[in-house]
Amino acid sequence: MCTTSEIGARELDRRSDNGIEVTLLWNPRTNRVSIAVEDERRGDSFGIDVEPADALDAFRHPYAYASRYVGDYTLAA
């Protein structure tokens, strides 16, 4: 996964729980908001662009948004 300095994004918030790290990012050049998720247990990661109005909800519930934006993302059992 890219670092925030590589993509020019600013970290707005970050949380970690049970091996899953979720980061809320904003890119001031493009005014886009994204969510980055890293699951250390499964070794998976993904990032999604979200609508600004959905940013906080997507930060709180990234897997719900993953299926909406990424497609067929399966949840850990």
Side-chain angles (χ1 to χ4, degrees):
M1 180 155 296
C2 295
T3 65
T4 56
S5 61
E6 289 172 343
I7 58 175
R10 294 184 185 169
E11 183 179 307
L12 300 178
D13 205 348
R14 176 185 300 254
R15 65 184 182 81
S16 182
D17 186 35
N18 201 26
I20 299 173
E21 187 169 298
V22 182
T23 308
L24 176 62
L25 303 164
W26 170 63
N27 187 321
R29 287 184 303 132
T30 63
N31 203 31
R32 296 292 302 171
V33 179
S34 61
I35 305 294
V37 178
E38 293 189 43
D39 185 338
E40 294 176 2
R41 298 170 304 162
R42 293 179 54 178
D44 290 339
S45 64
F46 65 90
I48 52 174
D49 286 340
V50 295
E51 293 298 322
D54 295 331
L56 189 55
D57 194 46
F59 176 70
R60 292 178 179 155
H61 310 284
Y63 290 97
Y65 283 79
S67 62
R68 183 183 303 179
Y69 289 95
V70 177
D72 189 23
Y73 187 86
T74 54
L75 300 176

